[in-house]
Amino acid sequence: MTDRRLLLVHAHPDDESIVTGATMAKYAAEGAEVTLVTCTRGEEGEIIPPELAHLGSDRDDTLGEHRVGELDKACLAMGVRDHRFLGGPGRYRDSGMMGAAANERPDCFWRADVEEAAHLLAQLIREVRPHVVVTYDDNGGYGHPDHIQAHRVAVSAFQKAAERALPGTPWQTRKLYAVAQPGSVLEESVERLRSGPGPFRAPATAADIAPGTPDRLVTSRVDASAHWAAKVLAMRAHATQISVDGELFALSNGIAQEIQAVEYFSQIAGPAARRGPNGHETDLFA
Ligand SMILES: CC(=O)N[C@H]1[C@@H](O[C@@H]2[C@H](O)[C@H](O)[C@@H](O)[C@H](O)[C@H]2O)O[C@H](CO)[C@@H](O)[C@@H]1O
Ligand SMILES: [Zn+2]
């Protein structure tokens, strides 16, 4: 086992590539052990290529299995060799966007027992013994129920894994982070996209992309520029969810976004980050 082990908790197959793909590729390339935990198989996703529309939850309902294959290709592109589905493939189903009928399904992640799911994740954490765990902020980044639930489960599991009361060998992960999108970075990106959206729709405001993270809460800036190409390949693997054109991409909503190889994080728990001259730490393992 190396002395740098990173575990990431993501909600759907595509999130890992979109928001942490460059960071995962960087650390994997540098010899760290990178474990990806995905909470659902993305069964309720929209489908971009018309020829795959039949996979949808309102038709064959086989999009989940298809996205498992997309995720395998994305992991290959990032050099990530350890991937798990929380509770095993299909244990928790994609809940759909907030307010969707799929939120009411008893098997959806949004209706999961958080402590039961956290116990499953804590067992994974004790097996992997990561130095760093990455998840989302308490709004799930943009309010998607599965992202919010992933945050809740990850925070609870981070604590449970270290509890001595639980049977097994405790493991105290050193640092816990949330993925961040600094508001200032988002605004600058939207300015560029408004005049150059490529083949996609220009965002009217930053809110069209994400609420953004207050800059003061952003602790870490990982520059994985050398791994930008790996991130692009990983994003292209998620062809039902993501369209890529040069340095731009769009989800099924068609709104242009930039493919960034500098990825940001907010530390949630662990020893305070040592900040560099621009106010950020640059290595999650520091
Ligand atoms: C990045 C992410 O979390 N994608 C989720 C999300 O997909 C969005 C959803 O279908 C929305 O309706 C679209 O407008 C948007 O373009 C999509 O990115 O929610 C899906 C359903 O829960 C999920 O499968 C997908 O991975
Ligand atoms: Zn998602």
Side-chain angles (χ1 to χ4, degrees):
M1 273 195 163
T2 73
D3 58 354
R4 296 204 310 167
R5 298 187 294 275
L6 168 66
L7 184 143
L8 304 101
V9 185
H10 279 295
H12 311 108
D14 66 6
D15 295 308
E16 81 294 327
S17 299
I18 297 167
V19 294
T20 56
T23 298
M24 294 170 76
K26 165 185 163 66
Y27 284 125
E30 292 174 357
E33 287 181 23
V34 180
T35 297
L36 170 62
V37 180
T38 309
C39 299
T40 77
R41 293 184 298 176
E43 297 88 342
E44 294 294 333
E46 294 179 354
I47 297 168
I48 296 171
E51 67 275 17
L52 296 179
H54 64 89
L55 300 173
S57 58
D58 57 342
R59 294 181 52 186
D60 301 352
D61 196 17
T62 52
L63 180 58
E65 291 92 319
H66 184 86
R67 290 181 72 176
V68 170
E70 292 184 335
L71 183 52
D72 287 345
K73 275 195 280 187
C75 285
L76 211 56
M78 294 181 290
V80 172
R81 292 192 297 271
D82 187 12
H83 173 258
R84 321 291 180 92
F85 279 103
L86 184 61
R91 171 67 183 270
Y92 299 110
R93 184 180 170 98
D94 181 344
S95 307
M97 296 291 274
M98 193 61 85
N103 294 182
E104 303 310 314
R105 286 184 60 133
D107 58 348
C108 77
F109 191 45
W110 184 231
R111 294 171 66 85
D113 177 291
V114 171
E115 291 317 300
E116 181 183 68
H119 186 74
L120 292 169
L121 182 57
Q123 289 173 313
L124 263 177
I125 289 174
R126 286 184 169 185
E127 175 199 334
V128 172
R129 302 190 306 142
H131 303 95
V132 173
V133 169
V134 169
T135 185
Y136 308 116
D137 64 23
D138 59 4
N139 183 43
Y142 72 97
H144 189 294
D146 292 334
H147 287 228
I148 293 169
Q149 197 77 316
H151 166 84
R152 293 172 177 172
V153 169
V155 170
S156 178
F158 175 88
Q159 293 154 357
K160 279 183 186 299
E163 284 169 9
R164 300 197 175 287
L166 279 185
T169 308
W171 177 258
Q172 177 61 67
T173 299
R174 186 161 174 269
K175 296 200 280 184
L176 176 65
Y177 289 93
V179 171
Q181 285 187 284
S184 58
V185 172
L186 210 45
E187 292 293 346
E188 287 162 13
S189 178
V190 166
E191 266 321 293
R192 289 190 294 270
L193 287 165
R194 285 166 65 86
S195 52
F200 307 119
R201 283 192 296 128
T205 67
D208 279 351
I209 294 176
T213 310
D215 284 27
R216 70 181 187 286
L217 298 181
V218 180
T219 60
S220 315
R221 177 182 186 279
V222 176
D223 184 344
S225 301
H227 304 278
W228 182 83
K231 176 168 183 174
V232 172
L233 270 180
M235 290 178 71
R236 284 187 180 279
H238 292 287
T240 59
Q241 305 301 306
I242 305 169
S243 303
V244 174
D245 184 279
E247 298 182 1
L248 304 179
F249 78 95
L251 301 172
S252 58
N253 58 13
I255 296 173
Q257 298 186 55
E258 292 178 325
I259 300 176
Q260 309 274 8
V262 174
E263 296 171 339
Y264 294 86
F265 303 85
S266 299
Q267 188 170 356
I268 299 176
R274 274 199 311 272
R275 308 289 185 95
N278 62 353
H280 297 118
E281 67 169 352
T282 56
D283 179 3
L284 301 182
F285 290 99

